[in-house]
Amino acid sequence: ETGVTQSPTHLIKTRGQQVTLRCSSQSGHNTVSWYQQALGQGPQFIFQYYREEENGRGNFPPRFSGLQFPNYSSELNVNALLLGDSALYLCASSSAGVTGELFFGEGSRLTVL
Amino acid sequence: AQKVTQAQTEISVVEKEDVTLDCVYETRDTTYYLFWYKQPPSGELVFLIRRNSFDEQNEISGRYSWNFQKSTSSFNFTITASQVVDSAVYFCALLITGTASKLTFGTGTRLQVTL
């Protein structure tokens, strides 16, 4: 069984740039959610994708957007990066109908300079 | 709005000591789930337990045990005979039924177990 994989593991960007983070869900999972974890904080829910549609969103501005592909993999895009976007971005996959049983990847650590 | 409070920022214990991590939650919903996750230095969140709001039975799994008390809105986690491998950040989280995978996490408790 293949777990959740994320890429890249680390990246550095400058303010105003755009970034794309990628996530491959665990085999058999059709739902992907994204979380942002700032240093020393708990993860915060960004959004969830199911059947290629966003079906839940946290308190994040529209410059945070995403995609889900037919193979259930997903991308998180962040435009116009701010210093405050520096964080660990975690992807989690799950099966629809199995409440809360999320399987997380190791995350992509984004540093914005 | 939902909130999870983990008042203990960091705990240090010596191996073989017992340690309890506290979690207090706030919600007006009557149907919800509570979770504990472990985050080792590698970064991924490892699922430890899920408990629904209608099941107040305490649970034991090896050296781990959980105490859910609805009356005090608490869901505490105890590690018995701690080991160095237990060193990690532990998060308590709350999920309201029907809100997709929107977990509300606490700020975490860093546990350091030394020899």
Side-chain angles (χ1 to χ4, degrees):
Chain A
E1 187 177 79
T2 307
V4 177
T5 57
Q6 294 186 240
S7 63
T9 53
H10 295 81
L11 69 166
I12 300 173
K13 293 284 189 177
T14 56
R15 278 180 300 175
Q17 285 190 313
Q18 177 264 343
V19 68
T20 297
L21 308 178
R22 296 177 176 82
C23 171
S24 292
S25 60
Q26 182 162 310
S27 177
H29 287 178
N30 54 16
T31 303
V32 173
S33 50
W34 287 90
Y35 286 78
Q36 180 197 64
Q37 186 179 14
L39 200 61
Q41 300 297 313
Q44 288 200 305
F45 178 75
I46 303 175
F47 44 53
Q48 175 181 279
Y49 277 82
Y50 171 65
R51 289 188 174 179
E52 302 175 49
E53 300 256 342
E54 183 183 300
N55 77 336
R57 190 176 183 97
N59 294 327
F60 282 82
R63 60 189 185 83
F64 285 78
S65 63
L67 285 172
Q68 187 181 31
F69 300 100
N71 66 353
Y72 306 128
S73 65
S74 176
E75 285 183 356
L76 165 65
N77 298 290
V78 187
N79 294 322
L81 284 168
L82 304 173
L83 296 180
D85 295 331
S86 296
L88 179 67
Y89 288 85
L90 293 162
C91 170
S93 72
S94 58
S95 292
V98 182
T99 306
E101 195 166 12
L102 306 181
F103 293 82
F104 284 85
E106 293 189 354
S108 294
R109 184 164 297 282
L110 171 66
T111 302
V112 182
L113 301 176
Chain B
Q2 286 68 241
K3 186 178 179 182
V4 175
T5 301
Q6 294 180 256
Q8 303 151 309
T9 306
E10 190 161 347
I11 302 175
S12 290
V13 298
V14 176
E15 201 175 43
K16 296 182 185 175
E17 284 186 9
D18 298 347
V19 58
T20 295
L21 310 182
D22 298 332
C23 173
V24 174
Y25 63 94
E26 296 174 32
T27 180
R28 293 188 176 186
D29 289 84
T30 56
T31 307
Y32 52 87
Y33 288 82
L34 294 164
F35 300 80
W36 276 94
Y37 281 87
K38 174 181 179 180
Q39 188 174 43
S42 55
E44 84 277 18
L45 288 164
V46 178
F47 169 84
L48 296 178
I49 190 172
R50 174 183 57 197
R51 174 66 75 229
N52 75 52
S53 53
F54 297 109
D55 182 2
E56 287 192 72
Q57 276 193 331
N58 292 330
E59 178 153 341
I60 299 174
S61 175
R63 296 184 298 107
Y64 295 170
S65 62
W66 291 269
N67 181 277
F68 176 28
Q69 291 197 347
K70 239 172 152 176
S71 60
T72 56
S73 297
S74 65
F75 186 43
N76 297 337
F77 172 30
T78 298
I79 302 175
T80 303
S82 59
Q83 300 176 1
V84 172
V85 293
D86 295 327
S87 297
V89 181
Y90 290 85
F91 290 96
C92 180
L94 169 69
L95 174 69
I96 305 304
T97 308
T99 60
S101 299
K102 186 179 177 181
L103 286 164
T104 299
F105 284 85
T107 52
T109 298
R110 179 176 299 278
L111 175 64
Q112 185 73 37
V113 182
T114 56
L115 293 171

